[in-house]
Amino acid sequence: MQFNEPAGTNLFDSATIVGKDHTRIDGPLKVTGAAPYAYERHDVVEGQLYGYPVGATIGHGTITAMDTEAAKAAPGVRAVVTTLDIDPLELGMNNVARLFGGSEVMHYHQAIAVVVADSFEQARAAANLITVSYEEGEAVDYSLDAAFERMEGTGEPDTQYGDMEAAFSDGAVTIDQMYHTPGESHQMMEPFASIVDWSDGGDLTGWISNQMINWTHGSLATTLGINKERVRIESPYVGGGFGGKLWLRADTVLAALGSRAAGAPVKLALPRPMMMNNATHRSATVQRIRLAANPDGSLRGISHENVSYCLPGGRGENATAQTPLFYASEAMHVKNHLAEMPLPETADMRAPGEAAGLMALEIAMDEMAEALEMDPVAFRLANDTQVTPSNPDMPFSERHFAECLEQGAEAFGWDSSRPAPGSRREGDWLIGQGVAGAFRGALALPSGARAAIENGKLVIETDMTDIGTGSYTILAQTAAETMSLTMDDVEMRLGNSAYPVSSGSGGQFGAVSSSTGVYAACMALREKIAQQLGLEEATFADGQVGSGNERQSFLELDVEAVDSIQWGDFMGEFQKATFGAHFVEVGVNVYTGETRVRRMLAVCDAGRIINPVTARSQVIGGMVMGVGAALSEDMALDTGRGMFANHDLASYEVAVHADIPEQEVIFLDTLDDVASPLKAKGVGELGLCGVAAAVANAVYNATGIRLREYPLTLDLMLDQLPEV
Amino acid sequence: MPPPIEFQVRRRTLLAGSAAAAVSAGFTGKAGAQSGATPAGSETTTVSLTVNGEAREVTVDNRTTLLDALREHLQLTGTKKGCDHGQCGACTCSVNGNRVNSCLSLAVMHDGDEIETIEGIGTPEAMDPMQTAFVENDGFQCGYCTPGQIQSARSVIEEIRAGIPSHVTGDLTAEIAITDEEIRERMSGNICRCGAYSNILAAITQVAEESA
């Protein structure tokens, strides 16, 4: 199916299932422990052995020797494979650091050996017997501030228009500040885990935990140097990803190599303390933002430069991603820099770019509102735009940012009189409110599915994954709606490389892309059904097909169709994005500076909401991650060793129950007929965008202390708290 | 009686001191390694457990945690391994009626104990009220922390009703009310990275009210 023009009126406009609340169809399996995750597939193959990884303990350098004699002689050990035993493996799609092979250490905890044994305990004990000699690389300056100073003003701007010099002169109100965001780790609850059967070194089957089946299918073949046709992978249940499981990772490679060496299937999970430094993370950023505005609040100039770190060839964290698209401005200068550093790989984490960028930009907007003596909601409204700021000929397909702000202010009880910072106190707590805008692009990728009638059921097969996002449920809703069936008539099969290639789960593109792919397959199935029954002008309603008054059920047929959605060029004439506004109230302890979030509201403009239940969970989950980003998450870099020291869940502090207050979500349900036939866009990353800045702005409103460095810990505030 | 300090100390503040220890654990190539010396006694032990009402006997490596005995030996994989260090709560199950982090407990310590796992609470066809409430309130997303959350959730209601105080309990002499604050505090050992906390709170509150 081609999507070549804006969706006109279609079946989703009179939907009875799509757009309605539906609890998760995979829910009963998940709450009873019956949904099998990757490491738990006792049922799929006999004779599984246990693998345990060994990670490098230097930041970068070369391995000169590895002694595996004791490990090989340890009880129960079946095989030991070290990185020195094999040539460097090819890099899979978007892998920057080598996953295994060769003597070069590119980052701390890079996988350098796998031990396979009869039991987990034996494998772990033997792994600890391997000794490694290194030649450490030269000392490195890990200062991102120094990198920013070096790189600021260099290179071709990514976006540049208007007269920046004029914008910042002649009576303009200006601000000019530096902002710091820390490295962040996905820390999904299910570790990277795989069972791989490559016992004979021929055909390979992997039961893995991965967001992107097709990408990883190809990467695994590339990395191991085998034909893709010989590889099959399954990932029906994924215990969270947040971008960390977009790519092939070391767990699958080590399990495969261990399996070939031991001649038996091998299961391997990365130990939690190895995840942070072995796998990918969101880079820290240093950002300088300069804003110039007219006294009426209209922006004259925006300058945003950012630096993040990455390994050579990496992507870092482009914190300027939203800036060219979010606010109107007469002139703009935007530049993203990458500083190469031998640190664990930086790559996509939920809302890559915007998450870190809005943490800074939305504080800057708050600061400018204050400089203008304007209400921050009104200031943002004054700079809303319906067209691309740098290209007025390119409109947004749909943009309802202003409604997000206005409805949010109303629902939240926003105090537009803005009492002076630090002036509201309840007991030991200083109370403040903060607001921030949210922006995240609306990507769509080609996505396919197979729809078939089998044994009286509508079966949908696609390699799409459900990483907690609700794919099982929303795809079943889409299929049931399109075929005029009930949810009980649909059987969903996901996450298998044997099924048609989908968009996969990432970048907020999963729901819109895969639901359209299922729609395409179901429309193809409708045609096949009509053909088989010899019907012309067939209509589908109430679980029956027919033309005129001749109606019949079609669930007795044996029929199938495969199709995919391809996105047309006309979409390039529009900017597609999602928008939101976050409102937060905090209390800051007047003695200790401890911040407690008291209530939160998100208003989202993200097209048709396919299932308000699962979409709301996505948004509140993003808000929770935003509270962590604001108040506690911080990958602590050991600048001597080039590693992150707080690499477990005791010391890398994500938000827990006690950190999360009352949360409210409002969906505008603004249909976007350029975005997809369902007029839907993604929402899973929007919920995170801007949250941390709303918290920071609320802390400022509560205390009068302006923090531009995350996390907003009490030590940054103690010496500035008001007298008590 | 007023609480000793008026502000709340968060759980991980107390654990911060363990960070340095975690850095050196496991991956230095030496730390925790055992010499090749032969152990003095048997390396395995046969343990009798009652699991979900059924008598089970398992022979385990003495180093096997209760969690791995359940997941790998008895193939009851509903109890999850999130961190294996007692930091996330995914492995929470019930031992003799009390919730424990099963990753922090060796199987050999549980001879004769009664274990209840998520599989013993309900099935997809016949769910326990707390499991139903989690589905109805969408108290999960990826589902990996969920069995542990449900185990803790059931225990939290019992612990409050049994008068066991928590850090946020104001009056230790009065009957403890099941408040949002009490539930959040007592659930804070169970991390949900998908961030379903508000919905989990709603599910627990629903069950508490229905069973009041």
Side-chain angles (χ1 to χ4, degrees):
Chain A
M1 178 186 283
Q2 286 280 334
F3 186 57
N4 281 335
E5 57 185 6
T9 302
N10 63 25
L11 64 93
F12 298 111
D13 294 316
S14 52
T16 57
I17 302 172
V18 163
K20 311 298 179 200
D21 285 350
H22 202 290
T23 58
R24 284 168 207 266
I25 60 174
D26 49 333
L29 291 178
K30 285 180 171 175
V31 300
T32 56
Y37 296 80
Y39 197 81
E40 302 166 355
R41 304 296 295 273
H42 290 288
D43 56 316
V44 291
V45 57
E46 293 283 318
Q48 298 172 24
L49 302 178
Y50 292 83
Y52 201 87
V54 178
T57 56
I58 61 169
H60 67 122
T62 308
I63 299 172
T64 54
M66 296 180 73
D67 184 349
T68 58
E69 205 175 317
K72 284 176 175 165
V77 171
R78 299 287 199 96
V80 176
V81 183
T82 78
T83 192
L84 300 182
D85 295 341
I86 62 171
D87 290 332
L89 297 176
E90 288 290 315
L91 295 175
M93 180 178 172
N94 278 332
N95 286 140
V96 176
R98 201 171 299 290
L99 292 175
F100 202 70
S103 61
E104 183 190 6
V105 174
M106 299 176 74
H107 63 88
Y108 195 87
H109 274 177
Q110 180 178 316
I112 58 171
V114 57
V115 175
V116 178
D118 291 330
S119 77
F120 173 73
E121 295 77 18
Q122 290 168 332
R124 182 180 57 190
N128 279 324
L129 297 175
I130 294 175
T131 56
V132 187
S133 306
Y134 300 99
E135 188 176 304
E136 290 201 46
E138 288 182 15
V140 172
D141 179 4
Y142 291 106
S143 169
L144 206 52
D145 284 307
F148 187 87
E149 278 182 33
R150 251 188 345 262
M151 302 175 95
E152 188 186 15
T154 65
E156 275 298 299
D158 302 318
T159 299
Q160 174 87 47
Y161 70 86
D163 186 341
M164 286 296 286
E165 203 168 321
F168 281 83
S169 60
D170 300 337
V173 179
T174 62
I175 64 142
D176 181 357
Q177 295 291 350
M178 300 294 300
Y179 303 87
H180 292 78
T181 67
E184 292 174 4
S185 178
H186 309 85
Q187 297 298 331
M188 67 299 276
M189 297 314 297
E190 182 202 18
F192 298 94
S194 297
I195 299 173
V196 176
D197 186 3
W198 199 25
S199 302
D200 59 4
D203 291 350
L204 181 154
T205 307
W207 297 269
I208 69 175
S209 181
N210 192 274
Q211 301 174 223
M212 304 293 297
I213 297 305
N214 184 48
W215 294 358
T216 300
H217 186 206
S219 293
L220 187 54
T222 303
T223 299
L224 298 177
I226 57 176
N227 192 313
K228 194 174 169 181
E229 305 302 314
R230 309 195 71 167
V231 177
R232 193 174 67 79
I233 54 175
E234 283 184 26
S235 185
Y237 296 97
V238 182
F242 313 113
K245 293 174 179 169
L246 287 168
W247 323 112
L248 176 67
R249 297 305 318 166
D251 57 304
T252 310
V253 174
L254 294 180
L257 295 172
S259 172
R260 185 174 62 174
V266 168
K267 60 195 295 186
L268 183 144
L270 283 195
R272 178 66 58 175
M274 195 169 168
M275 286 171 59
M276 182 184 282
N277 286 287
N278 174 272
T280 63
H281 68 282
R282 190 198 303 283
S283 172
T285 70
V286 174
Q287 306 176 47
R288 181 182 178 191
I289 297 177
R290 294 187 299 143
L291 301 178
N294 292 311
D296 69 358
S298 56
L299 280 166
R300 293 165 58 158
I302 300 175
S303 172
H304 192 173
E305 286 204 40
N306 171 67
V307 67
S308 62
Y309 55 77
C310 62
L311 289 164
R315 301 191 299 292
E317 178 79 4
N318 179 6
T320 67
Q322 68 291 320
T323 305
L325 299 169
F326 203 7
Y327 294 111
S329 180
E330 292 167 26
M332 202 179 292
H333 164 86
V334 175
K335 178 63 180 171
N336 180 47
H337 303 280
L338 292 171
E340 291 182 358
M341 292 182 189
L343 288 171
E345 185 171 336
T346 49
D348 312 76
M349 178 169 158
R350 197 175 199 170
E354 284 95 334
L358 290 165
M359 286 168 82
L361 180 65
E362 289 300 300
I363 295 181
M365 290 294 286
D366 203 61
E367 295 190 79
M368 178 53 96
E370 186 183 36
L372 290 162
E373 297 182 357
M374 277 180 84
D375 170 44
V377 171
F379 173 54
R380 286 176 174 83
L381 288 171
N383 290 287
D384 191 23
T385 176
Q386 290 295 321
V387 297
T388 309
S390 63
N391 178 9
D393 293 334
M394 184 181 273
F396 284 93
S397 58
E398 291 286 335
R399 173 169 169 140
H400 303 274
F401 181 45
E403 289 93 316
C404 292
L405 288 163
E406 287 163 346
Q407 286 202 23
E410 172 81 27
F412 189 73
W414 177 254
D415 185 353
S416 59
S417 70
R418 300 303 281 166
S423 64
R424 185 176 160 202
R425 185 167 164 182
E426 294 176 11
D428 293 341
W429 297 89
L430 297 162
I431 311 301
Q433 292 185 349
V435 63
F439 173 96
R440 173 68 178 156
L443 293 173
L445 297 184
S447 195
R450 171 179 178 266
I453 306 294
E454 291 176 9
N455 303 319
K457 286 263 189 185
L458 171 64
V459 173
I460 303 294
E461 292 178 344
T462 162
D463 82 356
M464 182 61 186
T465 50
D466 189 329
I467 64 172
T469 38
S471 309
Y472 277 108
T473 312
I474 66 162
L475 298 186
Q477 288 175 276
T478 306
E481 189 75 56
T482 308
M483 300 304 298
S484 81
L485 294 169
T486 68
M487 290 291 277
D488 289 339
D489 293 324
V490 184
E491 180 182 332
M492 293 299 308
R493 298 175 190 160
L494 299 185
N496 190 319
S497 62
Y499 302 153
V501 172
S502 74
S503 61
S505 301
Q508 198 171 271
F509 53 67
V512 59
S513 306
S514 65
S515 62
T516 311
V518 167
Y519 168 64
C522 288
M523 290 306 281
L525 184 66
R526 283 167 55 142
E527 271 186 42
K528 288 274 188 74
I529 290 171
Q531 273 172 19
Q532 200 172 96
L533 297 174
L535 295 169
E536 284 177 28
E537 307 280 315
T539 56
F540 288 75
D542 301 325
Q544 292 187 316
V545 62
S547 46
N549 292 330
E550 298 278 310
R551 320 281 314 161
Q552 68 180 95
S553 168
F554 51 88
L555 285 175
E556 306 74 36
L557 302 177
D558 181 9
V559 58
E560 67 166 340
V562 176
D563 201 3
S564 65
I565 184 68
Q566 305 296 327
W567 304 99
D569 293 338
F570 85 98
M571 298 170 85
E573 296 164 20
F574 299 90
Q575 289 289 355
K576 292 186 294 121
T578 61
F579 302 88
H582 288 285
F583 292 82
V584 169
E585 183 175 288
V586 302
V588 179
N589 189 281
V590 72
Y591 296 102
T592 67
E594 180 191 12
T595 299
R596 308 290 304 172
V597 178
R598 290 159 55 109
R599 57 194 183 97
M600 311 178 77
L601 165 69
V603 186
C604 299
D605 164 29
R608 187 194 305 280
I609 299 303
I610 300 172
N611 182 346
V613 171
T614 53
R616 180 180 177 280
S617 289
Q618 285 276 284
V619 175
I620 65 168
M623 292 155 80
V624 168
M625 197 172 270
V627 170
L631 297 178
S632 58
E633 292 184 40
D634 183 2
M635 290 173 66
L637 177 63
D638 180 331
T639 55
R641 300 189 202 189
M643 53 83 88
F644 296 100
N646 55 340
H647 50 84
D648 62 25
L649 286 168
S651 44
Y652 181 82
E653 300 183 349
V654 304
V656 301
H657 280 272
D659 298 322
I660 301 305
E662 181 189 329
Q663 294 177 305
E664 193 184 338
V665 180
I666 296 172
F667 291 117
L668 296 185
D669 224 15
T670 42
L671 308 186
D672 189 335
D673 65 357
V674 171
S676 71
L678 279 78
K679 304 171 190 176
K681 294 183 274 199
V683 75
E685 299 186 330
L686 186 67
L688 169 62
C689 292
V691 173
V695 174
N697 294 338
V699 167
Y700 174 75
N701 182 242
T703 63
I705 302 169
R706 180 65 77 181
L707 299 178
R708 302 179 185 89
E709 178 183 352
Y710 295 94
L712 313 168
T713 48
L714 46 82
D715 54 298
L716 301 175
M717 281 190 274
L718 272 180
D719 60 350
Q720 302 175 67
L721 285 167
E723 290 292 322
V724 282
Chain B
M1 187 174 70
I5 41 177
E6 288 185 55
F7 57 90
Q8 298 173 7
V9 177
R10 289 186 308 169
R11 156 188 164 274
R12 264 90 40 82
T13 320
L14 304 174
L15 291 172
S18 66
V23 169
S24 63
F27 303 102
T28 61
K30 287 180 186 142
Q34 299 168 6
S35 69
T38 311
S42 170
E43 292 176 52
T44 60
T45 302
T46 299
V47 184
S48 297
L49 307 167
T50 303
V51 182
N52 300 329
E54 198 181 321
R56 304 293 296 261
E57 200 163 84
V58 283
T59 300
V60 294
D61 188 308
N62 292 342
R63 298 166 291 190
T64 303
T65 60
L66 176 59
L67 174 61
D68 280 331
L70 293 170
R71 281 170 64 82
E72 305 303 326
H73 292 261
L74 298 176
Q75 301 193 0
L76 291 169
T77 54
T79 309
K80 303 302 183 191
K81 184 184 280 192
C83 71
D84 218 11
H85 288 66
Q87 300 163 351
C88 77
C91 65
T92 306
C93 69
S94 164
V95 176
N96 299 332
N98 297 314
R99 57 173 168 158
V100 300
N101 283 336
S102 61
C103 75
L104 288 185
S105 195
L106 294 172
V108 296
M109 298 158 64
H110 293 284
D111 194 47
D113 282 352
E114 285 195 26
I115 317 292
E116 187 176 54
T117 72
I118 191 75
E119 291 92 344
I121 293 172
T123 63
E125 295 75 32
M127 292 188 284
D128 169 84
M130 188 64 80
Q131 291 169 321
T132 303
F134 267 63
V135 173
E136 287 176 356
N137 291 279
D138 211 37
F140 58 96
Q141 292 187 49
C142 81
Y144 198 77
C145 74
T146 311
Q149 301 277 0
I150 289 171
Q151 292 275 20
S152 271
R154 285 159 45 98
S155 293
V156 160
I157 294 174
E158 289 172 16
E159 288 163 17
I160 293 174
R161 289 185 175 150
I164 299 169
S166 81
H167 172 68
V168 299
T169 306
D171 184 350
L172 297 182
T173 63
E175 186 178 346
I176 304 169
I178 301 183
T179 62
D180 291 356
E181 194 185 17
E182 283 283 359
I183 294 171
R184 286 183 178 126
E185 168 64 21
R186 292 164 191 263
M187 289 298 296
S188 284
N190 289 81
I191 293 174
C192 170
R193 185 59 160 159
C194 296
Y197 298 131
S198 297
N199 292 351
I200 294 171
L201 176 67
I204 298 172
T205 304
Q206 179 180 314
V207 172
E209 286 173 358
E210 283 170 358
S211 64

